Amino acid sequence: MQKNDVVKVTIEDIGVNGEGIGKIDGYTLFIKDAVIGDVVEAKIMKAKKNYGYARMMQIIEPSKDRVEPKCKFARQCGGCTLQHLAYEKQLEYKFNKVKNCLERIGGLENIEEKMEPILGMEEPFYYRNKAQFPVGYDKEGNLITGFYAGRTHHIIDCTHCMIQHPVNEQILLKVLDYMKKNNITAYDEKPHKGLVRHIVTRVGFKTGEIMVCLVVNGSKKNLRNLEMLVDSLTEVEGMTSICVNINKEKTNRILGSKIEEVYGKPYIYDYIGNVKYQIGPLSFFQVNPTQTKVLYEKAMEYADLKGEETVWDLYCGIGTISLFLAQKAKKVYGVEIVKEAIDDWIAAPMATHSSGFKVLLGSLPVICFTFSCAANIRVEPPTRRTLESSDAESPASFRAFCTGIAVLSTRSLVSSSNFALVRFISRCFGPSALAVMNGRLMLVVVAVDSSFFAFSAASFNLWRAILSPDRSMPSAFLNSSIIHWVTRLSKSSPPRR
């Protein structure tokens, strides 16, 4: 196959990024926007020895699983890569993605019969509670906002997104109108000039409270007639907080570290289940509140808390998981390095009115090491060096060994950045640390006093063991965004099946 060849291909599989995969005489082609069952005409854009990348030119015969995307920008935008695939098939694709990872990387056999079904959404649209819209200009110089096209910094002019809360369109139009009337410029990243970089919104799905944050290459003093924008935005029902985020750096990072208040409170409130949270402009808060509730309730079920447990929430952010689990735990400790997130954690109504909460500011290895000494608990990978160096007379030693079990659940989508999980566990704990028990993949670790700390990983919704302070976690785990939590498990009370 050569570059620019136009070929007819039948799509047989889907790749890790949602692209269609077809073969011609053994030569593999990856084709964006194609789904299993499609017969397409594609133009080869990049040809390697055994595989290539092609652009879909036309659909000759559509798959029975192909649907019309609800968003007219779905193919251009980098946000919804599978909107042309029926939602039931999207869930099937994600299920297979996890299964293939466990089989190829983990070397596990017959894993499908041990996996549980994915818990999908009833309505997979208009579910996001946070949006970040870049501001710029089109080719004619018109002020626009929307989303970046896939793999580019070209803005698609779109104020109505099918996965964001509908109120965003009203907000965006008001901000653009204010900028035009007051000659407020949009930021241009190439010369590092212009003022408004992004419009960031947060919406409380249960409370109805709304936050609007303008990210600027300057300060609020540079926003002329700012009261005009306030008057306009406060016409939106539920407008609670308007602020300015200062980001003068020449960077792709959206938010800076400094916030200037403009109107109302510097935060909004929202709920996950019955737990109320305070959310600031810099807070990490799960963007899909509907599925977050489903996820946390399942974590609560697996934890099987009886009211006597101590829960550690590592990388706790504003405490979404720790406060949720605190409904059934005796004590909760949160560990976080971002001060603003801790301020929101402390201010949450449940944390304010309970003495069973403590939040610790600092790096995870330092805090875990310090606390483990004070509590006479020390957790390390069960290496031969650890076993041989234990001081049998020391209260902080590993004298009283037992085996704890952490469940690796295959319930939700795994991203390609987390495929290293099984390799990492094998490297740290040895291949024998992995086993299949009670129909689930297990990680077996050694701990002291019949307990150990375990927390679940991103995207996999997995349980993982805490490492010793001198062993760092892979960056893919540190950057993960689904769920990180710690709970005490004992030999007499293993995780539920």
Side-chain angles (χ1 to χ4, degrees), residues 9 44 98 103 133 136 211 213 220 228 262 273 342 361 376 391 408 414 416 479:
V9 189
I44 298 176
V98 175
E103 290 175 341
F133 301 90
M211 171 185 290
C213 180
K220 71 177 183 180
M228 181 186 296
V262 176
I342 284 185
L361 175 64
N376 293 331
D391 180 359
L408 300 183
V414 58
S416 57
N479 294 331

Side-chain angles (χ1 to χ4, degrees), residues 141-161:
N142 299 309
L143 188 66
I144 61 172
T145 188
F147 297 98
Y148 289 128
R151 301 180 181 274
T152 75
H153 270 206
H154 167 70
I155 299 175
I156 297 173
D157 184 7
C158 173
T159 56
H160 183 87
C161 176

Side-chain angles (χ1 to χ4, degrees), residues 173-206:
L173 293 176
K174 285 179 175 293
V175 174
L176 291 179
D177 182 63
Y178 157 76
M179 291 179 65
K180 292 173 183 177
K181 289 179 177 178
N182 291 277
N183 295 318
I184 305 294
T185 58
Y187 177 72
D188 187 336
E189 62 184 357
K190 291 182 179 179
H192 190 49
K193 293 182 179 179
L195 186 59
V196 179
R197 302 173 69 130
H198 280 80
I199 304 167
V200 179
T201 65
R202 287 183 180 271
V203 182
F205 270 55
K206 193 167 184 178

Side-chain angles (χ1 to χ4, degrees), residues 352-364:
T352 302
H353 297 97
S354 174
S355 59
F357 295 87
K358 186 172 184 179
V359 63
L360 306 171
L361 175 64
S363 70
L364 176 62

